[in-house]
Amino acid sequence: EALFYVVKVIIFDIFCVMPKRVCVFAGSQSGNDPLYAEHAAALGKELATRGYELVYGGGNIGLMGACSEAHKAAGGKVISVIPDPLAPVELSGESVGHVFRTKDMHTRKEIFATLSDMFIALPGGLGTVEELSEMICWTQLGIHRKIVGVVNTLGFYDHYLQHLDHCIATGFTRAKYSGCWCSAAGPVELLDRMELAVSTNAVPEGAVNTWTPFPAGLAAAVELEEMDDYQASAT
């Protein structure tokens, strides 16, 4: 049975073209201005309109819920990845789409990074900023070469973006790595900029290219909805 699963995953990897997926990081709160939720819903709808699948952190509360529910309502496919401690409905609400539960946050982010072709941050708190920063750092380091976008609703990320510029100005980040991220005041303009960056190969190569790849078959396991089998085979 295990051999059959491995063969099936290999065949899937070779012969199937994976749809483009975008991972969205967002707050589990809605913020104190209705435009935050409006932009989250608009992003979810626009991603579906452009044919992207949505990967997100599960639940249906705050901006995470607004984005995922709008994406599903517009006909998009949603993949929820949520750690067991956050999975209870009383904490996160009902997750949208295909739900995969992980044992910890590290596995969750590994799945985010493996499945997704691009990353977008909506406004959010400490968790959102941490995830956003890590994906930028992974592009800089060469763990992956994927563009990271920021929906800067009402200037929410002005100070964060200024800090990134400050890191370059003070010599702590090389100027070429400014191509790891882009931002816009709204979701449609941001997606236009991100797609342009990808199509023109504007995302810089990372500093190191000797990283160990993520486990083979992970993306295929999710696509085949056999994450439980994959996790069992990895332990």
Side-chain angles (χ1 to χ4, degrees), residues 88-225:
V89 174
E90 57 268 28
L91 286 178
S92 302
E94 294 285 351
S95 291
V96 179
H98 299 274
V99 181
F100 299 108
R101 291 174 59 165
T102 66
K103 295 179 180 179
D104 52 49
M105 296 289 283
H106 298 292
T107 306
R108 180 199 211 184
K109 286 191 283 188
E110 179 183 301
I111 295 172
F112 284 161
T114 302
L115 295 182
S116 307
D117 301 293
M118 302 190 298
F119 304 90
I120 293 176
L122 288 160
L126 296 177
T128 303
V129 172
E130 184 268 339
E131 291 166 330
L132 164 62
S133 299
E134 185 162 25
M135 291 304 106
I136 292 175
C137 183
W138 284 14
T139 301
Q140 175 185 321
L141 290 175
I143 296 174
H144 59 210
R145 192 178 181 185
K146 301 174 182 179
I147 189 68
V148 182
V150 173
V151 181
N152 194 21
T153 305
L154 298 173
F156 180 85
Y157 281 109
D158 280 353
H159 291 95
Y160 179 85
L161 294 167
Q162 288 168 10
H163 178 70
L164 295 180
D165 290 340
H166 183 64
C167 289
I168 294 173
T170 53
F172 287 98
T173 300
R174 294 181 181 179
K176 72 174 186 176
Y177 293 125
S178 64
C180 296
W181 66 86
C182 61
S183 65
V188 174
E189 183 183 359
L190 178 66
L191 282 171
D192 288 343
R193 292 182 179 181
M194 296 178 73
E195 289 175 346
L196 178 62
V198 172
S199 66
T200 58
N201 202 33
V203 181
E205 292 186 6
V208 182
N209 60 6
T210 55
W211 296 98
T212 301
F214 290 119
L218 173 57
V222 173
E223 181 66 23
L224 292 168
E225 299 177 28

